[in-house]
Amino acid sequence: MSKSSRSPRPRSQRQSCEVAVTSVVEKRLGALPVVSEFTRRLDLSGIVDEVCPGGASALVTHGQVIEALVANRLTAPAPLVRVGDRARTWAVEEVLGIEAGLLNDDRLARALDAIAPHLEHIAGTVGARAIGEFDIKVSRLHWDMTSMSVHGAYPAEGQDEGFPVIGYGHPKDRRTD
């Protein structure tokens, strides 16, 4: 009998396949895909890695770590501790391709230490990339980096509610006086 002349087996004679679900994993997604798309279009990871190349044996680059930190801050702002634990509950591995266990506190610290001397260059490069990638009209852009220092005690209850509350902070110009 040729292959073309075979008739299909009746439904009752077909083999049945059973599928058993042994576990279900639920992870938060939130704005993670949107943040991932923006950081990809800005080439954030590539820019950081170009300025701060990681070691040849690194399982995750400085750029990937910084991308994960940006995603963490934009999706679930929290202190920069136990980021790996939060990455396990969020779909970080599925969306960013970074295993949650690689985002431990030591690895985050190494990446932050690596970029610290290059922050202005990285911010400028990412900003220029955003202007080009998203066709931002810079003639309408105003970036006020004014820094003002005040000295003395300014209790919150004594300040005018119509104005920013004076409190402890770090000036953007990094002046210590």
Side-chain angles (χ1 to χ4, degrees), residues 69-83:
L69 288 176
V70 168
N72 178 65
R73 297 301 296 165
L74 293 175
T75 56
L80 292 179
V81 293
R82 297 190 188 112
V83 172

Side-chain angles (χ1 to χ4, degrees), residues 11 20 22 44 71 85 112 124 129 155-156 164 171:
R11 198 172 260 208
T22 57
L44 176 61
D85 291 345
L112 291 171
R129 176 73 185 214

